[in-house]
Amino acid sequence: MVDVDPVRAVQDLRSVVLAADRGEVSPDRLLAALASLRSLREKLAGWEPQLIAAARSEGTSWAALAPALGVASRQAAERRFLRLRPSATGEPTGEARVEAERGRRAGDRAVAEWARRNAAVLRQLAGQVTALEDLDGEARAYADRLGAALGKDDVTSLLPPLTAVRGHLERDHTGLAGRLGTIENDADLVRRDATGHRRDRTS
C-alpha cells in the first residue's frame, strides 16, 4: 500500500467531491480520488487495532471500548480487535484469528486448572531443581526463576521454567529430567484436548 498523508488526502478528496457536485471534474480525477480513498481507508483501518491495543495496555476494559468501537458488548469489542489485528501465527482471515485466539485461551485455562490440581507435584519438582548444587549458566538461571515462582500463589508460573530447565538436566540428572518430561507431555496433552474439544463444538 502506498503511504498516504491522511490530512492532505481528506482535503484533496473533499475538493474532488465539491467539484463533482458542480459537475466540474474529469473521469480521470474521479478515478484517482477513488484510489486515494481506498488507500486512506486502509491506512485508517490499520490504526484501529493499534489504538485498541494501546488502550488495553493502559488498562481500558473491553466494556469501556465497546461504545467507542460502535459495538454492543465487551465480547463484540474483543472480537472486532481480533479480526482486525494482524496475525502472528498465519491465520488467513479475521474469523480464523478469533477462533485461534479463543482456542489458545481455552488451552491456557485447561492447563491452569490441571496445574492447580497437580500443584503439590509441581512444587515438589521445582523444589528438587532449586536444591541442585551443580547447576550453572542457564540452568542456574532457570532454577532461580523456579525459586521465585515457588513464592507465588499461581502455580502455573512454575511451568515455563520447569520446561526450560529439563534439557539442562538430561545428562547428570536423568531421573528428574524424565519426570519433568512427563509433566511437559501431560500439560501439552491437556492443552491439545481442550483446543480440540473447542474446535469440535464450533465446527
Side-chain angles (χ1 to χ4, degrees):
M1 181 181 67
V2 177
D3 195 21
V4 59
D5 178 354
V7 175
R8 181 169 181 177
V10 169
Q11 292 172 342
D12 291 344
L13 287 167
R14 177 62 176 165
S15 68
V16 173
V17 170
L18 292 174
D21 287 343
R22 298 191 301 268
E24 300 173 354
V25 62
S26 69
D28 287 345
R29 192 179 179 198
L30 288 169
L31 290 174
L34 288 169
S36 177
L37 181 60
R38 177 174 56 82
S39 295
L40 178 61
R41 187 183 299 116
E42 292 172 354
K43 179 82 169 181
L44 296 177
W47 287 355
E48 185 172 346
Q50 290 180 262
L51 292 172
I52 295 172
R56 288 289 295 160
S57 69
E58 293 298 324
T60 306
S61 69
W62 289 115
L65 280 165
L69 298 177
V71 296
S73 67
R74 61 172 301 280
Q75 293 87 352
E78 185 175 10
R79 190 179 187 89
R80 179 175 179 82
F81 172 64
L82 292 173
R83 283 177 171 171
L84 294 173
R85 184 184 62 179
S87 173
T89 51
E91 290 79 19
T93 66
E95 193 62 33
R97 288 194 290 274
V98 171
E99 290 306 317
E101 179 66 15
R102 290 182 173 178
R104 183 190 66 77
R105 292 180 183 177
D108 287 347
R109 288 192 297 270
V111 169
E113 178 59 30
W114 169 86
R116 285 190 287 270
R117 292 197 306 269
N118 293 276
V121 174
L122 294 175
R123 291 186 180 280
Q124 180 188 50
L125 289 171
Q128 290 176 5
V129 172
T130 58
L132 296 174
E133 297 181 353
D134 57 348
L135 302 180
D136 55 20
E138 280 189 283
R140 175 47 56 191
Y142 290 131
D144 291 343
R145 285 177 57 190
L146 281 170
L150 279 170
K152 300 178 180 179
D153 292 333
D154 182 12
V155 71
T156 61
S157 63
L158 295 172
L159 292 174
L162 281 174
T163 298
V165 79
R166 180 174 64 84
H168 298 278
L169 305 179
E170 291 178 339
R171 187 184 67 180
D172 298 325
H173 304 280
T174 55
L176 182 54
R179 293 186 66 194
L180 294 180
T182 298
I183 288 293
E184 182 179 354
N185 290 337
D186 288 348
D188 286 344
L189 181 60
V190 168
R191 183 180 300 279
R192 288 197 301 270
D193 283 348
T195 303
H197 289 160
R198 172 176 171 76
R199 189 180 300 116
D200 291 342
R201 290 197 305 270
T202 57
S203 61

